[in-house]
Amino acid sequence: MEGTSNSQRKGLPRSLQFQRMERVVKAMQHPTAGVPVRSQKLFLTTVPNAFTGNDITEWIMQKLNVKDSAEALHFASLLCYFGYFFHVTTNGAVQIKEDNELFRFQAPYFWVSTNWTTGNTEYAIYLMKRTLRNRQRHGLEEHEIRALEDLKKKLLHQWDFVTMQAEAQFRVLKDRKKTDKTIIDSQERAFWRVMRPSPDETSVLEMDIRNDLYTFRSMRRDEALKRRLEYLQQALSNRVRTKSSQTHQSLCVFFEVFSDYDPFLGHCPPSNPWLTSDTDRWNLMQPLVESPTQLRVRRWAFNCKELLSDPTGVREFMKFCKAEFSTESLNFYLHVQEIRNCPLSQMKHKAEAVYREHLAPNAPQEVNINDTTRTKIIKQLENPSRELFFEAEKHIIELMKKNSYPRFIQSEQYRNLLQTAPNPVPKKTGIFHFVKDNYFRTSSSSSEDEYDSDDSTHRGENTTALSNNAANKNQTGGTAVATTVNVAAAVAVVNTVSNQSSGNDGNKLNLRK
């Protein structure tokens, strides 16, 4: 099995992610400051080069400055999931707990980033080597037996080579000591469990690191296929069939409604701060403002999602709900948003607080949800996730859409907001919008008379040059009509430039023809 060089590892997918994890694992294997690795006693046997779940959790909390033990266990489970250490007694277990379960570090040769290019031939040699050993201790599992049969069909042309390599490796393994043989066998088995997992499990090579390891559970093949079929049948039955013309029409309506709010397709009210010196847009578009603009207030009436996504809209909506004594639904929605954005250490405390405030029997602000959703939430309170209240939140939003939100849009408060909302007028951009007004002139540097005399001199020079050009064109054979048109256009340009300069200076001068 050929390893991957350093230059090849840099081009692999998620190489930076593996490098960060490997730096932590190397620090864990430090002989003095790392995780204590020693021979552990397990019943009547001795397990060499092992450590416990308590050891690695304490090391992470001390060395990596992690205060919450749940976060330390989660990080250790991720490292175990990527194969940097493995469970000694339980095959395929990746959940680490604060107990005396034994784990062992994986050799750097068997890291995923080192052997990314392993193929079917190496896996077939490993399975054949397992068949040559004691079946009671090293027998193949069901998915490995099926994989070996498939590999025999695919590698039929080189199966003699696979058998020869397996027998040679088996003979070399026989000559090793019993301790070394046990360690190498466990490391190799853990490596292939990561590289070629069972069909019921997901592979780290294809899956995102943000997988929820706390809800990980092994599943049999027939159960996985049954769930897959149920999902596909439900997707086919709930499929919404619409015409392409209706879809295009709805998209056009959507862009027409939101075109005024897009600074690229529409305009950038009140003024574009990149083209003008007006920075009022930054102040008006802050999350919380005292008086929102008319365009912003009008957007709240599009749908409930637009209102709840704007902090200023949520504040005005809360005022309306307090006047109607119906704040429990909005408070529940806001508390659920806090749980989604809170640290992992505070999640359980906040989830229990939300349950006591809104879902418990005789709660002070009890919301209306069904018993099925309430029972699911109670079962998951011991190990909550950020999506614990997802179904309840969805139901509460639907209730607000039907009850409090339409009343708010039709209320006198919203109409007053819409009438009193400011509508800032955009500022006009000049020709040279990137030059400030007082760049060329200051009141202390020179007087207005000097600039007036200079302007008149420049205007006289420009007029003389333009008339000379016109005379030269007439001498070279141009017609009189063309000369008259050129002179008139030149005079018009001079008039425009003089009016602009005189408008900036505050002195309006008329150029005599």
Side-chain angles (χ1 to χ4, degrees):
M1 187 163 52
E2 297 181 358
T4 308
S5 61
N6 291 331
S7 59
Q8 292 174 340
R9 292 176 66 183
K10 292 181 180 179
L12 294 176
R14 296 185 291 178
S15 60
L16 295 177
Q17 175 184 320
F18 287 118
Q19 289 176 13
R20 292 176 180 175
M21 289 191 291
E22 288 167 7
R23 282 200 295 267
V24 177
V25 174
K26 289 178 182 178
M28 289 180 177
Q29 293 178 328
H30 194 273
T32 57
V35 179
V37 178
R38 54 188 179 273
S39 297
Q40 305 280 350
K41 289 187 178 180
L42 183 65
F43 297 109
L44 300 178
T45 60
T46 302
V47 180
N49 298 339
F51 57 90
T52 63
N54 284 327
D55 296 335
I56 194 167
T57 305
E58 292 176 0
W59 187 90
I60 291 174
M61 295 181 68
Q62 292 176 2
K63 301 296 182 180
L64 301 183
N65 238 349
V66 178
K67 297 181 181 180
D68 189 6
S69 60
E71 292 188 11
L73 291 173
H74 178 66
F75 180 66
S77 300
L78 285 176
L79 294 178
C80 182
Y81 187 69
F82 279 86
Y84 290 104
F85 49 84
F86 54 90
H87 208 291
V88 175
T89 56
T90 307
N91 292 331
V94 296
Q95 184 68 37
I96 294 182
K97 302 178 181 179
E98 289 183 302
D99 51 14
N100 293 324
E101 292 291 335
L102 299 181
F103 295 86
R104 181 176 291 151
F105 281 112
Q106 182 66 281
Y109 176 75
F110 290 112
W111 285 353
V112 177
S113 59
T114 308
N115 293 283
W116 191 281
T117 57
T118 53
N120 293 331
T121 306
E122 290 83 1
Y123 189 46
I125 294 172
Y126 164 72
L127 295 179
M128 281 297 298
K129 185 170 59 176
R130 289 266 302 276
T131 58
L132 298 176
R133 304 184 68 179
N134 186 4
R135 292 186 178 181
Q136 186 177 359
R137 295 183 58 187
H138 305 283
L140 300 179
E141 299 179 5
E142 293 182 2
H143 71 277
E144 292 176 337
I145 295 174
R146 290 194 297 268
L148 183 60
E149 293 175 356
D150 294 338
L151 290 174
K152 283 182 180 179
K153 298 176 182 178
K154 294 178 181 178
L155 305 176
L156 185 62
H157 60 287
Q158 54 178 357
W159 194 249
D160 294 337
F161 169 76
V162 172
T163 306
M164 181 181 62
Q165 286 291 328
E167 292 175 352
Q169 292 184 15
F170 178 67
R171 287 194 297 269
V172 172
L173 192 63
K174 270 187 174 181
D175 299 336
R176 291 183 177 272
K177 297 180 181 179
K178 184 178 179 180
T179 304
D180 297 341
K181 194 187 302 182
T182 304
I183 294 174
I184 293 174
D185 178 66
S186 63
Q187 290 176 343
E188 190 174 13
R189 184 174 295 191
F191 167 75
W192 285 112
R193 195 181 302 119
V194 174
M195 299 297 292
R196 296 294 178 95
S198 63
D200 303 334
E201 300 175 1
T202 51
S203 174
V204 298
L205 308 180
E206 301 175 357
M207 198 184 119
D208 199 318
I209 191 175
R210 294 167 292 185
N211 183 42
D212 190 4
L213 293 178
Y214 293 108
T215 59
F216 178 81
R217 182 175 63 87
S218 58
M219 190 183 302
R220 294 182 302 176
R221 181 179 178 83
D222 53 351
E223 186 179 355
L225 291 175
K226 184 178 178 181
R227 288 195 176 186
R228 183 65 177 171
L229 287 175
E230 291 178 355
Y231 170 76
L232 293 175
Q233 289 175 358
Q234 185 178 4
L236 289 174
S237 61
N238 296 336
R239 184 181 177 185
V240 181
R241 293 178 175 87
T242 57
K243 295 181 179 179
S244 60
S245 59
Q246 296 178 356
T247 306
H248 296 162
Q249 185 178 1
S250 61
L251 284 175
C252 291
V253 171
F254 176 82
F255 283 111
E256 287 177 0
V257 170
F258 287 92
S259 61
D260 293 337
Y261 300 91
D262 195 326
F264 293 100
L265 299 178
H267 57 280
C268 195
S271 297
N272 197 327
W274 288 280
L275 300 179
T276 63
S277 58
D278 184 17
T279 59
D280 292 340
R281 179 174 173 82
W282 306 130
N283 299 327
L284 295 173
M285 298 306 295
Q286 288 182 358
L288 283 174
V289 292
E290 291 297 329
S291 55
T293 60
Q294 193 175 20
L295 203 63
R296 186 172 181 177
V297 176
R298 198 183 300 119
R299 186 170 184 171
W300 300 344
F302 290 166
N303 51 55
C304 186
K305 181 181 177 182
E306 296 294 335
L307 176 64
L308 296 177
S309 61
D310 191 351
T312 305
V314 173
R315 183 190 64 191
E316 300 297 333
F317 190 35
M318 179 64 75
K319 292 180 183 178
F320 173 78
C321 292
K322 286 181 179 179
E324 287 197 342
F325 302 99
S326 60
T327 59
E328 58 275 358
S329 297
L330 185 56
N331 283 329
F332 175 77
Y333 171 79
L334 296 176
H335 291 159
V336 171
Q337 302 308 311
E338 291 180 2
I339 291 177
R340 288 184 176 174
N341 300 321
C342 73
L344 191 64
S345 58
Q346 303 177 9
M347 189 184 300
K348 186 175 181 180
H349 173 70
K350 287 184 177 293
E352 292 175 352
V354 171
Y355 175 76
R356 291 192 302 268
E357 183 74 16
H358 298 282
L359 302 177
N362 300 324
Q365 291 190 348
E366 188 175 1
V367 294
N368 185 14
I369 62 172
N370 53 30
D371 294 335
T372 306
T373 307
R374 194 189 306 271
T375 305
K376 288 182 180 179
I377 293 173
I378 294 173
K379 289 181 180 179
Q380 299 178 10
L381 274 178
E382 293 297 328
N383 189 13
S385 64
R386 300 190 187 275
E387 303 297 330
L388 174 63
F389 300 99
F390 176 75
E391 294 183 4
E393 177 195 8
K394 187 178 178 181
H395 178 68
I396 293 302
I397 290 176
E398 291 296 328
L399 290 179
M400 286 194 293
K401 285 181 181 179
K402 295 177 182 178
N403 298 324
S404 55
Y405 172 70
R407 293 198 303 269
F408 171 70
I409 297 301
Q410 297 173 4
S411 64
E412 189 69 25
Q413 179 184 349
Y414 180 76
R415 285 197 290 267
N416 292 336
L417 280 172
L418 197 59
Q419 291 175 1
T420 59
N423 192 12
V425 180
K427 293 184 179 180
K428 295 182 179 180
T429 57
I431 297 176
F432 304 101
H433 52 78
F434 50 85
V435 180
K436 294 182 178 180
D437 295 339
N438 59 351
Y439 182 80
F440 291 107
R441 180 168 309 158
T442 56
S443 58
S444 60
S445 61
S446 60
S447 62
E448 296 179 355
D449 297 336
E450 294 176 356
Y451 282 104
D452 292 342
S453 62
D454 292 339
D455 292 341
S456 61
T457 304
H458 288 303
R459 286 195 295 271
E461 293 176 356
N462 292 334
T463 308
T464 305
L466 291 171
S467 62
N468 291 335
N469 291 335
N472 291 333
K473 288 182 181 179
N474 192 13
Q475 291 176 2
T476 55
T479 61
V481 176
T483 304
T484 306
V485 171
N486 291 333
V487 173
V491 172
V493 171
V494 173
N495 287 331
T496 304
V497 174
S498 64
N499 289 333
Q500 289 179 356
S501 61
S502 62
N504 292 332
D505 298 337
N507 300 322
K508 296 183 178 180
L509 299 177
N510 296 323
L511 183 63
R512 296 181 179 178
K513 296 183 181 181

